[in-house]
Amino acid sequence: MIGYLFTIIISLMLAATAFAAPPDAGDIMKKSQAAFFYQGADFKARVEMTLVGKTGAERRRELTMLRKNYGPSGGDQKYFIYFFKPLDVKDMAFMVYKYPKKDDDRWLFVPGLNMVRRIAAQDAHSSFVGSDFTYEDVSGRDLDDDTHTVVREEKIGSLDCYVVKSVPFKESGSAHKLSWIDKGSFLPFKEEYYDKKGALVKVFTAVEVKEVSGRLTVTRRRMENVQTGTKTEVVYVKAEYNVGIEDSLFTERYLKQPPKRLVE
Amino acid sequence: MKRVLMIVSLTTMLTMLRCGASEAEGMSAHGFLQGNYSVATDDKNPDGNRFKWAEERAQFKLDGSRNEERFFLKTDVFYDNIDEKADVEMREAYVASSGGLWDARIGRQIITWGVGDLVFINDVFPKDHEAFFSGRPMEYLKKGSDALKVSAYPEFASFELVVTPFFEPDNMPRSERFRMYDPMPQVTNRETKEPPANLKNTEIALRAYRDLAGFESSFYFYKGFYRTPSMQPDSLSAPTKITLHYPELLLYGVSLQKSALDGVVSLEAGYLVSQDDKTGTNPLIPNSQAKVLVAYQRQIIEDMTMTTQYLGEYMLSYDAYEAHRIQGFPKEPLYRQLLSLRLQYLMMSQTMRLGWFSFWSPTDKDYLLNPEIRYSFTDNLWGAIGALVYGGDTDTTRFGSLDKNDNIYTQARYEF
């Protein structure tokens, strides 16, 4: 009987220790993914991107991004991106069906030819519209592709952050990534991308975080490539959650003629 | 009329330029100024000129909408330095309306169907081959159709119906600018006869599409005309006059597309019935054909994509063709094959684009090569330089015939 009680006490103590231990890195990244890439049932943002070359020359992109979630955080999503600037791609529209476990389906509408083209989509690590952000930086990455470990805890300004190291299982854009995840909002306030030699390549900074439809959102962000000297700043000029985007938006019909209500 | 249009266009454009492109409520106005020149590298044109293309062009686009109604106008004004004349070209002009499960668009509009890359089986809409062969920007390969397009989106599939009362032929390379094979060069008296606009000649094109087992699938039907002309001499033994006409065509087709093999796989097929020569015995009218296209696109390294295509064209009444073909005219193969390769590499934050496109036919033993570099100097200004090289074992095949027309071209465009 005493032995039995003793076992129970030991088990309870172990459980208590486990409870007090820092949360699992996988959990942190899951919550971060939900806060950063999957907020709301859907999302709409008017986006301005400024691409700064190493000589300081600036180029601008203006677009509307629409996103709708299908299933829980970490699941399928559909994206619709409509370009205003530069003018040589004005009225172009880009549609992505994102599947975490396999390659995306992507379509591009070319207005000059009134043509919808399917695009090969293995380039998660290549640049999105010439910027320092990759496709993956825009729409996220399957968490199961990396192992995550909390390496330390650190303050960014007044925010307490977990610093999580993510190392991909297979070939990826970078050899590893460090993410500073705010303990309160689980938004990443900073990320560092390292190459195989261990040298720093890119730094992501959440420059401005605001409440949008009651949800904390990174409304201004910067990605700086410290090796090439280029940087890109992205601003959400207008943003809104739960707009009520219908499934039919993500079809050839609206790719060719997006509803003004949604893209303007 | 043209002069009036031109003055109106120019005034509007100058106003737009002065005020800067505007984005008024429900209305947007944009356009570009463009220079486009193409110089022959190995032989002068038949008219003695060195340039295949030399023009300055301004385009203005006006796009307006209110509720579910929209109008769109795209007009070009250009000065052709070769023919030394200015002109206006209405590229597109339509009004459109939308309902819950339908759209309608009437007027001049550009329509593109099918999954081919510069290979057209079910894209039955007018094209400008001369534009492509002269090194003009890609959008000029397509011409507008003066048509009514109705789309419907019921639950089980989507549909597009295009009704075109006014026939528009493809634009072929001009004989003054291009040296090409001509089976009857001695007959210079030529007349073009387009199908007159009437109910019987109204073209009908239908496309139905939906997802089938993960394949984006389209089914096509077209009743209309071949857009490349056929030659009809008044006499075969001693011809004095040739009539260029457009025989009737009936087309049934299908296309499928899917992500597969780490890329995108596309299939397209068409069954072309030559209505004016169903038996295949008239050698001056195209024989009925079956065509099939297989294409594969994938990214091979970061920022570099590759598209490769295989096209097979099978002549359906070959025995009849062989029995009736005209001696002295080049002999068509039973089965023609064509391969294409496109490579595109983006550099310098995607401001520099290196492109390669080529056709090669193992049947005709001829080719077309098209390298191009495009650079965006600023967000508003881009320029491109490229070459078009043609050749083949004989000068009677599609690209072999263009052998003497190699050219280097430049395009520069300022967008506003």
Side-chain angles (χ1 to χ4, degrees):
Chain A
M1 183 61 197
I2 289 185
Y4 187 54
L5 256 179
F6 187 70
T7 317
I8 290 175
I9 290 164
I10 293 286
S11 318
L12 282 172
M13 277 167 67
L14 279 174
T17 329
F19 197 71
D24 172 58
D27 272 357
I28 296 172
M29 292 311 277
K30 242 182 219 148
K31 285 180 181 158
S32 180
Q33 182 187 50
F36 197 44
F37 293 112
Y38 281 86
Q39 288 250 40
D42 62 35
F43 178 62
K44 170 189 173 175
R46 174 78 174 230
V47 180
E48 285 181 13
M49 297 178 101
T50 309
L51 287 56
V52 185
K54 57 172 178 264
T55 57
E58 290 191 358
R59 286 171 195 262
R60 272 175 228 285
R61 310 271 176 271
E62 255 185 72
L63 51 98
T64 289
M65 184 175 85
L66 299 152
R67 174 207 6 113
K68 184 166 182 172
N69 294 346
Y70 288 80
S73 177
D76 292 357
Q77 289 180 318
K78 291 181 183 176
Y79 284 83
F80 192 103
I81 291 165
Y82 179 83
F83 291 94
F84 296 95
K85 278 183 183 162
L87 290 170
D88 64 337
V89 298
K90 191 187 173 315
D91 299 329
M92 243 186 212
F94 180 57
M95 183 166 79
V96 181
Y97 288 8
K98 186 180 164 62
Y99 316 105
K101 301 288 178 206
K102 56 174 188 162
D103 285 337
D104 303 344
D105 283 324
R106 292 185 191 164
W107 295 263
L108 184 71
F109 172 63
V110 185
L113 296 167
N114 188 21
M115 173 179 78
V116 171
R117 269 279 165 267
R118 189 97 180 211
I119 310 178
Q122 294 76 47
D123 52 346
H125 318 301
S126 58
S127 158
F128 176 71
V129 298
S131 74
D132 294 295
F133 289 89
T134 63
Y135 280 91
E136 207 168 78
D137 298 331
V138 174
S139 65
R141 177 175 162 84
D142 187 13
L143 293 178
D144 295 341
D145 284 349
D146 306 313
T147 50
H148 310 279
T149 13
V150 179
V151 289
R152 58 181 186 270
E153 294 181 16
E154 212 169 80
K155 266 189 183 312
I156 288 190
S158 59
L159 298 172
D160 285 320
C161 295
Y162 297 112
V163 182
V164 179
K165 183 178 181 179
S166 304
V167 182
F169 287 110
K170 6 174 239 227
E171 189 66 23
S172 173
S174 62
H176 74 269
K177 179 176 89 169
L178 290 178
S179 311
W180 279 255
I181 313 280
D182 169 31
K183 287 184 177 178
S185 64
F186 284 94
L187 287 174
F189 274 72
K190 185 177 157 188
E191 289 169 349
E192 290 180 349
Y193 297 78
Y194 291 86
D195 65 14
K196 288 190 192 74
K197 289 179 224 143
L200 182 63
V201 186
K202 295 201 303 181
V203 180
F204 166 89
T205 316
V207 181
E208 180 187 80
V209 176
K210 280 204 297 210
E211 263 200 17
V212 172
S213 318
R215 296 157 196 271
L216 275 183
T217 305
V218 182
T219 49
R220 188 182 281 265
R221 65 193 68 194
R222 186 183 327 128
M223 186 71 89
E224 200 166 352
N225 189 318
V226 295
Q227 292 191 354
T228 60
T230 58
K231 64 178 176 197
T232 301
E233 186 150 312
V234 173
V235 182
Y236 291 174
V237 185
K238 278 188 287 187
E240 197 184 342
Y241 288 101
N242 299 338
V243 191
I245 300 173
E246 283 154 8
D247 292 341
S248 63
L249 173 75
F250 303 98
T251 56
E252 182 183 317
R253 177 187 187 186
Y254 290 115
L255 192 58
K256 285 179 162 177
Q257 42 183 7
K260 284 251 159 28
R261 171 182 81 85
L262 286 175
V263 298
E264 297 281 274
Chain B
M1 181 60 197
K2 271 204 161 157
R3 186 155 298 186
V4 175
L5 245 178
M6 199 149 107
I7 290 164
V8 172
S9 314
L10 271 174
T11 323
T12 316
M13 247 179 302
L14 286 172
T15 320
M16 277 165 61
L17 270 175
R18 229 186 21 236
C19 310
S22 61
E23 294 276 355
E25 188 76 33
M27 184 90 124
S28 89
H30 289 279
F32 61 69
L33 301 173
Q34 175 182 285
N36 185 189
Y37 312 90
S38 162
V39 62
T41 52
D42 47 15
D43 230 337
K44 281 187 182 164
N45 301 344
D47 65 4
N49 223 305
R50 268 237 164 252
F51 283 91
K52 297 273 180 226
W53 203 260
E55 66 159 31
E56 293 82 44
R57 180 174 285 258
Q59 176 173 93
F60 83 94
K61 281 182 285 196
L62 206 57
D63 195 342
S65 64
R66 184 196 279 172
N67 303 326
E68 302 307 322
E69 272 68 52
R70 175 178 178 219
F71 79 87
F72 182 67
L73 180 72
K74 191 196 298 185
T75 305
D76 287 15
V77 184
F78 61 92
Y79 184 76
D80 178 344
N81 293 283
I82 302 172
D83 291 348
E84 296 180 342
K85 64 164 189 154
D87 213 339
V88 188
E89 184 187 355
M90 181 90 80
R91 295 281 303 161
E92 288 188 81
Y94 60 78
V95 289
S97 186
S98 286
L101 290 175
W102 60 272
D103 298 315
R105 190 177 274 192
I106 188 162
R108 182 166 298 175
Q109 49 192 308
I110 286 169
I111 304 169
T112 301
W113 284 359
V115 296
D117 177 7
L118 295 175
V119 169
F120 308 105
I121 297 177
N122 292 295
D123 188 324
V124 290
F125 305 102
K127 284 162 210 81
D128 188 340
H129 301 282
E130 187 185 62
F132 178 66
F133 293 142
S134 310
R136 300 182 63 192
M138 191 54 78
E139 68 200 73
Y140 288 97
L141 172 64
K142 297 288 291 190
K143 288 168 81 181
S145 299
D146 294 330
L148 164 71
K149 187 174 83 166
V150 181
S151 309
Y153 311 95
E155 193 83 347
F156 60 97
S158 298
F159 298 88
E160 279 184 297
L161 170 71
V162 182
V163 180
T164 314
F166 309 102
F167 176 77
E168 182 68 34
D170 279 359
N171 191 28
M172 308 307 286
R174 263 169 274 192
S175 57
E176 300 86 46
R177 295 193 189 178
F178 283 81
R179 294 182 183 277
M180 289 168 297
Y181 170 73
D182 187 333
M184 289 180 272
Q186 72 284 4
V187 190
T188 52
N189 181 9
R190 294 181 182 207
E191 182 195 30
T192 300
K193 238 168 100 178
E194 288 180 14
N198 58 39
L199 197 61
K200 188 183 144 282
N201 286 345
T202 295
E203 298 165 54
I204 305 282
L206 180 68
R207 172 179 172 232
Y209 60 101
R210 62 160 292 162
D211 182 274
L212 284 179
F215 283 93
E216 274 181 84
S217 317
S218 291
F219 299 89
Y220 308 88
F221 168 79
Y222 172 68
K223 180 196 155 296
F225 303 89
Y226 286 95
R227 291 191 200 278
T228 52
S230 290
M231 287 178 148
Q232 186 62 56
D234 53 355
S235 142
L236 270 179
S237 46
T240 59
K241 182 183 174 185
I242 291 174
T243 305
L244 296 166
H245 67 115
Y246 301 88
E248 279 186 41
L249 170 67
L250 206 59
L251 166 68
Y252 306 91
V254 59
S255 70
L256 304 168
Q257 206 164 40
K258 185 183 169 56
S259 292
L261 309 168
D262 288 329
V264 176
V265 175
S266 311
L267 292 164
E268 186 170 345
Y271 180 79
L272 291 80
V273 184
S274 183
Q275 289 285 81
D276 292 343
D277 182 30
K278 282 187 185 157
T279 53
T281 50
N282 186 340
L284 293 163
I285 288 181
N287 208 310
S288 294
Q289 273 183 314
K291 296 186 183 183
V292 61
L293 170 76
V294 184
Y296 176 58
Q297 181 200 36
R298 73 168 292 172
Q299 187 189 9
I300 39 181
I301 53 168
E302 190 172 314
D303 289 323
M304 183 163 191
T305 47
M306 174 201 75
T307 309
T308 147
Q309 301 182 112
Y310 170 87
L311 172 73
E313 297 177 330
Y314 187 80
M315 200 187 276
L316 290 172
S317 310
Y318 200 70
D319 290 345
Y321 165 75
E322 271 195 310
H324 294 89
R325 79 182 192 89
I326 302 166
Q327 299 303 318
F329 274 43
K331 188 180 175 189
E332 296 277 334
L334 168 67
Y335 188 64
R336 174 183 279 120
Q337 303 178 81
L338 183 68
L339 292 158
S340 85
L341 174 68
R342 182 184 291 283
L343 296 169
Q344 184 178 283
Y345 187 46
L346 299 171
M347 296 166 69
M348 301 160 68
S349 299
Q350 301 184 6
T351 53
M352 175 85 91
R353 190 172 78 192
L354 304 184
W356 170 269
F357 183 82
S358 56
F359 274 130
W360 174 65
S361 169
T363 319
D364 288 347
K365 304 211 164 30
D366 65 353
Y367 59 84
L368 173 156
L369 315 174
N370 178 208
E372 187 183 277
I373 299 177
R374 184 184 136 139
Y375 180 68
S376 296
F377 296 94
T378 69
D379 280 340
N380 295 87
L381 179 69
W382 62 260
I385 179 160
L388 282 157
V389 180
Y390 314 95
D393 280 6
T394 58
D395 63 1
T396 57
T397 60
R398 206 174 304 172
F399 306 121
S401 162
L402 290 163
D403 191 18
K404 299 264 192 306
N405 298 283
D406 296 354
N407 61 75
I408 290 177
Y409 61 85
T410 61
Q411 306 159 355
R413 185 181 287 184
Y414 175 80
E415 317 241 7
F416 57 86

